[in-house]
Amino acid sequence: LTKHNLIAFKFDDIKIDVCQASEYKNLLSKYHYLPNAGRGGMAYGAYLNNILIAVCVFSPLVRQNIPEDKLTSRELSRMCIHPNYQVKNFASWFISKCIKRLDNKYTTIISYSDTTFNHVGSMYLACNFKLDSKLKPDYWYASDSGWIMHKKTLYNKASAMSMIESEYADKFGYRKVFGTEKLKFIYHR
């Protein structure tokens, strides 16, 4: 565990601007529970004195369980605030400001909260998202040494070796681990 020193600031001191993956990758890799930069999209950063303190990434829809129009919808696929900058209402304020900056053709924003990590969607509700549905628990793979592998990564590795997931997992010492449900939130503008 790392000790963080909270830094007080005013929302008026924050500059929100387009943010490139090269800028926000480090923030996500250190502080987001899904450390990769995701599948890209339009990203906005919150800057305090030219320092990136938060990011929202809006990605094209790819999930099979989304009936929304992919041309007018985006998924808020990553949202991360540096732990030193946790100020009350900052998350909902920042998300709302980022949504307003999105192209007006995007009328539906979708996001997910993973209850496996105690994310229940409070910041989405504060931004007027509505709870749409609950999704079945998902799974990933873990080795005895603690290495975690996304199911798609393991699937790709198995396919490259002409194996199925379970064969690859058995051969290389991975076990399937299930999380808890995910909550799907939708915002219409």
Side-chain angles (χ1 to χ4, degrees):
L1 295 175
T2 305
K3 184 177 179 178
H4 294 283
N5 298 316
L6 290 179
I7 297 170
F9 62 91
K10 295 178 182 166
F11 295 171
D12 290 343
D13 296 332
I14 299 296
K15 179 184 175 197
I16 298 173
D17 206 350
V18 173
C19 185
Q20 301 301 316
S22 58
E23 289 183 86
Y24 66 75
K25 275 184 173 180
N26 192 41
L27 182 71
L28 292 179
S29 69
K30 287 183 177 181
Y31 304 114
H32 196 277
Y33 78 100
L34 297 172
N36 66 27
R39 58 188 184 278
M42 176 54 82
Y44 296 101
Y47 297 87
L48 179 63
N49 300 321
N50 295 320
I51 297 170
L52 180 66
I53 66 168
V55 67
C56 281
V57 181
F58 297 90
S59 303
L61 304 183
V62 295
R63 297 199 171 146
Q64 300 300 322
N65 61 354
I66 299 177
E68 283 73 27
D69 180 353
K70 292 185 178 194
L71 298 177
T72 61
S73 302
R74 282 293 177 261
E75 179 183 342
L76 175 51
S77 60
R78 297 287 187 275
M79 193 286 187
C80 182
I81 300 173
H82 188 291
N84 287 352
Y85 299 91
Q86 299 291 328
V87 173
K88 184 177 180 177
N89 298 324
F90 179 53
S92 57
W93 177 86
F94 179 50
I95 291 169
S96 295
K97 294 291 186 184
C98 292
I99 288 173
K100 286 179 183 172
R101 290 175 172 260
L102 279 176
D103 188 313
N104 286 333
K105 72 179 180 182
Y106 301 123
T107 57
T108 303
I109 310 299
I110 298 164
S111 199
Y112 296 86
S113 290
D114 192 338
T115 62
T116 304
F117 300 95
N118 295 321
H119 298 167
V120 295
S122 301
M123 66 184 177
Y124 301 128
L125 294 173
C127 295
N128 294 318
F129 280 71
K130 302 292 183 217
L131 177 60
D132 178 71
S133 58
K134 296 178 181 183
L135 306 175
K136 290 189 281 187
D138 208 353
Y139 67 92
W140 59 89
Y141 287 92
S143 70
D144 290 337
S145 63
W147 185 258
I148 303 296
M149 189 180 304
H150 189 275
K151 66 181 180 183
K152 178 72 170 135
T153 303
L154 189 135
Y155 172 83
N156 290 343
K157 289 177 179 282
S159 294
M161 297 177 73
S162 300
M163 302 170 86
I164 62 172
E165 275 186 47
S166 60
E167 289 173 322
Y168 185 94
D170 288 344
K171 180 173 182 165
F172 294 100
Y174 286 92
R175 68 187 185 291
K176 196 181 274 192
V177 177
F178 281 87
T180 56
E181 68 187 2
K182 288 185 181 179
L183 307 175
K184 177 182 173 185
F185 292 87
I186 296 182
Y187 176 86
H188 294 287
R189 59 182 188 153

